[in-house]
Amino acid sequence: MTDILVLGAGYTGTTAAIRAAVKTRRTGGRVTLVNASTRFTERLRLHQTAAGERLTDYPLDEVVAGTGIDFVQGRVARLDVERREVTLQGGRVLGYDKLVYALGTVTDAAVPGVSEHAYAYDDYRQAVRLAERLDTLEEGTVVVAGGGLTGVESAAELAEARPHLRVVLLTRGRPGSMMGEQARAYLDAALDRLGVEVRSGVEITKVLPDAVEPAGGELIHSDATLWTTGTRGLPLAEASGLTADARGRIVVDSALRSVSHPDVYAVGDAAAVSQRFGVMHGTCQGGIPTGLHAADSLADTLRGKTPKPFRFGYFHQPLSLGRKDAVIQFTRPDDSPRRWYLKGRAAVAYKETVSGSPLPTYKLLKRGLVPAWVFSLTAGR
Ligand SMILES: Cc1cc2nc3c(=O)[nH]c(=O)nc-3n(C[C@H](O)[C@H](O)[C@H](O)COP(=O)(O)OP(=O)(O)OC[C@H]3O[C@@H](n4cnc5c(N)ncnc54)[C@H](O)[C@@H]3O)c2cc1C
């Protein structure tokens, strides 16, 4: 038997675990999947949770049912890559022959006050806590820090769901600066229509209990601050001796194995995966293919075959603007914007399709099949 331990049951860890279970069934693979909570968190919908929406609950033991995967609830506290052991909070120790690391990222809390006074999307509970805080406000100001896609989606969602609150979006550059000019103009108009106050060129230096402090400016009052400006890998990866990049993500080779410890595979947001265009950034679009490829690499290695190199190219930047509007920027493989974009109801339908429940994908994987969209993003790149 080969003990395959998968850490993290988000989009990418669950993908890797199911694929590894299917692909190593005949070669004696025994897969254990560890996750902090018993529910599958749809991270890409956490802005909806923050706005007060109740999402469908997916118990993880049901998600992996029928695969032979042993699901263990527990929070990983320590990783010993020399002894090949993982210690969970509470002291339980799990050994492994091969490890797939899929613990995602946490908010980069380098700015003083973020950990103490800001809400973030590190887990489902934090998004629920923000919704509960907003429930207590009959009036007031919500500050969303960060003008990337997560910040823009959040500001729009909160403004639409809580029209009695003032929503202020603070960004260094223009909101959605990675999109093309026309898609950006569309999102500017949507934020304006929803009453979001956008302040660009703002560098936040401190978060206080009831305000944020911009560099060289007056305090901006805030009854609730949401921090979306950036993420980094969990400190436990680097602390274990795994080679990590400046953002704490595990550096992997073309087969998605750690460059320092080849028995460890890293996938999704937690991995620094190099492609011709540079290092990939965290999305489900890129993360699910990494989960799949790591499992295939692992299965090939167990069979004595040389794993294939991972190739990926982006296709789109999907952005919801509340529940009734959206804009989709189509991209080149390096994520730079193409001329084409989709807006309005067609974009809402598109966005709902691509961010829908991952269960249909997992059902296909359980049958040994790979979704067509993964082929289109990975083949021939
Ligand atoms: C609001 C928002 C909107 C987004 N929209 C999009 C989008 O439209 N399209 C897109 O492609 N991407 C989007 N993303 C990004 C996308 O959600 C991430 O890239 C994706 O979730 C990465 O998957 P992952 O499996 O690597 O990590 P995660 O989904 O974060 O999963 C990590 C798992 O590890 C578990 N875990 C963490 N620490 C521990 C520990 N110590 N012990 C045990 N378990 C632990 C967590 O509970 C979680 O289940 C969005 C993100 C956010 C926050």
Side-chain angles (χ1 to χ4, degrees), residues 257-291:
R257 293 172 298 215
S258 153
V259 292
S260 57
H261 296 79
D263 287 330
V264 177
Y265 294 73
V267 299
D269 286 7
V273 182
S274 289
Q275 293 291 294
R276 265 179 248 164
F277 54 78
V279 179
M280 287 169 63
H281 59 264
T283 60
C284 285
Q285 188 187 169
I288 290 177
T290 63

Side-chain angles (χ1 to χ4, degrees), residues 8-13 35-36 43-44 47 74-76 102-104 121 150 153 234 268-269 282-285 318 351:
Y11 297 93
T12 68
N35 198 61
R43 190 178 165 100
L44 62 71
H47 57 300
R75 185 168 286 279
V76 178
L103 292 178
Y121 288 135
T150 305
E153 283 197 324
L234 273 68
D269 286 7
T283 60
C284 285
Q285 188 187 169
K351 168 79 179 167

Side-chain angles (χ1 to χ4, degrees), residues 186-197:
Y186 189 83
L187 84 81
D188 283 345
L191 290 176
D192 191 45
R193 173 175 49 77
L194 289 165
V196 175
E197 198 178 309

